[in-house]
Amino acid sequence: MISRKEIKALIEKAVEHDESACTKILNLYKGRIFSYVFRMVRNYHDAEDITFETFIKCFKSLASFDTSKPFTTWLFAIAHNQTMDHFRKHKITFEYLDEFHSSSDDLAKEYEKKRKIEQIDQAISQLPPLDRELIVLFHKEENTYQEISEIMNIPVTTVKTRLHRARKRLHDLVCKRPKKE
Amino acid sequence: MRHKDIERLIQRKLDGDLSPSDSARLNKHLAQCSDCTSFYREITQTTNLVRQLHEFHPSAGFNARVLAGLGVRRRFAWSKTGIALAGGWIAALVFFCYSSFPTQILGWLTTSFPSIVRFMDKVELVGESFSQVLTPVLKNAWSNANPVIGLVFSILFVYFLGKALQKEEKCKA
């Protein structure tokens, strides 16, 4: 885990478009950003394009970044906005789509950690985009409510209530329970 | 059946903002209700495993693509090139100092191409005139130190050239 001081030093160099600093930032965050975007759009090429645009935007507006704030929150906010732009461009409604909830996959019953993780990943991909994003940002990326609120530009209370709903939906999908809402 | 108020407590526990009194209330209920215990165990396990989801990676040329998109020119690996050039120079020096091959080559060239001999004679004449200007001491010192000086200058040349070019590299936004 990189310290805040180290990331600040990297940012100062990357503002000048120092190749080594830019590469370090890319190596530190491209996996997390790509995974997040990929789980949102579920298409490798689209995910790579969105991740590319995210980093281009990040480096170009790095000079305006307030270094007293967490860099990851800012970076994830850019990725979120880029993903939303992608959804808008492809006319994908970013809301709760209940038809996504009918899981037809034959999920393994036995408990094996690896299999279970795959199963959860599969279940996450079946969640509506908003639920998926909240689950990934809170449980995978371990952001706080406040950070998620800043990334997604929605109130903290909304984050909380929607996360509860998303979590329950994920549980229902993983445990093959029909939606009761 | 699951109890709605307990479900809310479970959600708050997963959020990490459950008060000690609510935590005690939850534990007390879980000890008595198998449905809520089962829900608690499943949802905790699911959310815990989300943390361990695989990380995906973009394709191999991603960094280069971003850097090119920014107009950042990739720096030439001068340190490696300098080492390679210095190594090559040392190898060449050793080869020409201790091998008979250069003499053989020279012999072959002079017999095959007489024009080279005439040219070399002229060069030698110029060289001799030049060397007569120098004092014998300096001449001796120079000839003895020649390979070392050549080596040192080569390394310094490659090093400073590399440094100068690195400073010149400008990142274009």
Side-chain angles (χ1 to χ4, degrees):
Chain A
M1 184 70 87
I2 190 163
S3 73
R4 205 157 186 168
K5 200 178 164 186
E6 285 171 309
I7 190 68
K8 199 178 167 187
L10 273 181
I11 288 166
E12 278 165 12
K13 283 183 184 174
V15 167
E16 304 295 321
H17 286 238
D18 175 271
E19 189 222 339
S20 148
C22 290
T23 305
K24 273 183 190 161
I25 289 176
L26 278 166
N27 289 340
L28 277 170
Y29 298 106
K30 69 178 175 186
R32 285 174 68 187
I33 294 294
F34 181 78
S35 300
Y36 158 72
V37 174
F38 180 67
R39 287 200 165 91
M40 292 295 293
V41 299
R42 289 178 290 173
N43 175 295
Y44 190 90
H45 295 291
D46 287 349
E48 187 161 301
D49 286 347
I50 294 167
T51 310
F52 171 79
E53 292 300 335
T54 299
F55 278 106
I56 293 286
K57 200 164 182 186
C58 157
F59 287 125
K60 283 190 174 174
S61 50
L62 209 51
S64 65
F65 169 66
D66 179 0
T67 48
S68 65
K69 290 183 176 171
F71 178 69
T72 43
T73 307
W74 184 72
L75 187 60
F76 270 98
I78 298 174
H80 166 81
N81 291 335
Q82 291 297 323
T83 311
M84 293 305 107
D85 284 349
H86 169 83
F87 283 149
R88 270 191 289 273
K89 241 182 260 174
H90 294 82
K91 297 189 182 357
I92 298 166
T93 314
F94 189 68
E95 249 313 316
Y96 290 103
L97 302 169
D98 287 342
E99 60 266 32
F100 273 114
H101 286 263
S102 55
S103 170
S104 60
D105 297 318
D106 179 27
L107 299 175
K109 284 179 183 174
E110 74 275 17
Y111 178 71
E112 279 178 46
K113 198 174 169 190
K114 201 181 164 190
R115 183 81 184 97
K116 191 84 178 172
I117 290 171
E118 280 170 14
Q119 189 184 340
I120 289 167
D121 214 354
Q122 206 173 1
I124 287 174
S125 75
Q126 289 166 16
L127 285 171
L130 184 64
D131 288 12
R132 217 183 302 155
E133 185 167 20
L134 284 163
I135 291 286
V136 171
L137 286 176
F138 189 83
H139 290 293
K140 171 77 179 139
E141 294 300 332
E142 298 179 356
N143 286 292
T144 62
Y145 284 134
Q146 186 58 45
E147 286 166 346
I148 296 173
S149 155
E150 285 170 30
I151 291 168
M152 297 177 73
N153 199 25
I154 52 175
V156 173
T157 46
T158 312
V159 172
K160 213 168 187 173
T161 50
R162 288 187 174 179
L163 178 67
H164 287 189
R165 191 158 43 175
R167 210 183 262 151
K168 198 160 167 286
R169 281 177 166 164
L170 178 66
H171 166 264
D172 290 347
L173 273 174
V174 172
C175 299
K176 293 178 84 178
R177 293 226 174 98
K179 193 174 156 270
K180 287 177 183 173
E181 285 174 67
Chain B
M1 68 169 267
R2 280 197 328 240
H3 300 88
K4 283 279 169 196
D5 57 331
I6 297 300
E7 200 175 298
R8 274 193 290 275
L9 288 182
I10 292 171
Q11 292 275 13
R12 279 176 51 204
K13 189 176 169 72
L14 292 171
D15 292 343
D17 65 351
L18 193 64
S19 67
S21 61
D22 281 339
S23 184
R25 198 177 134 219
L26 174 66
N27 290 339
K28 194 178 169 188
H29 179 86
L30 292 179
Q32 298 161 350
C33 177
S34 61
D35 280 353
C36 286
T37 303
S38 162
F39 173 71
Y40 173 69
R41 202 180 50 243
E42 286 165 359
I43 199 165
T44 306
Q45 190 187 63
T46 302
T47 51
N48 282 343
L49 284 172
V50 172
R51 239 168 253 135
Q52 295 170 47
L53 288 176
H54 307 296
E55 193 159 271
F56 299 104
H57 294 279
S59 56
F62 183 79
N63 283 9
R65 204 177 139 211
V66 173
L67 294 174
L70 288 168
V72 174
R73 274 186 295 159
R74 305 211 76 171
R75 275 185 196 154
F76 194 65
W78 279 106
S79 54
K80 284 179 188 171
T81 313
I83 291 165
L85 283 175
W89 178 251
I90 292 166
L93 276 179
V94 170
F95 179 74
F96 280 101
C97 288
Y98 297 103
S99 166
S100 62
F101 185 69
T103 321
Q104 285 170 11
I105 286 278
L106 199 64
W108 176 77
L109 280 173
T110 47
T111 49
S112 307
F113 304 98
S115 57
I116 290 179
V117 179
R118 286 197 292 277
F119 176 73
M120 291 299 283
D121 284 345
K122 282 176 189 172
V123 171
E124 201 178 339
L125 197 67
V126 173
E128 272 178 16
S129 322
F130 182 69
S131 67
Q132 278 169 9
V133 179
L134 298 168
T135 61
V137 176
L138 187 63
K139 197 177 172 184
N140 277 339
W142 175 257
S143 60
N144 289 338
N146 199 17
V148 179
I149 291 169
L151 176 68
V152 169
F153 271 93
S154 302
I155 293 170
L156 286 176
F157 172 74
V158 170
Y159 177 76
F160 285 112
L161 180 70
K163 281 278 173 194
L165 285 170
Q166 270 189 338
K167 280 183 187 170
E168 281 298 307
E169 285 284 338
K170 295 286 178 192
C171 303
K172 292 173 188 173

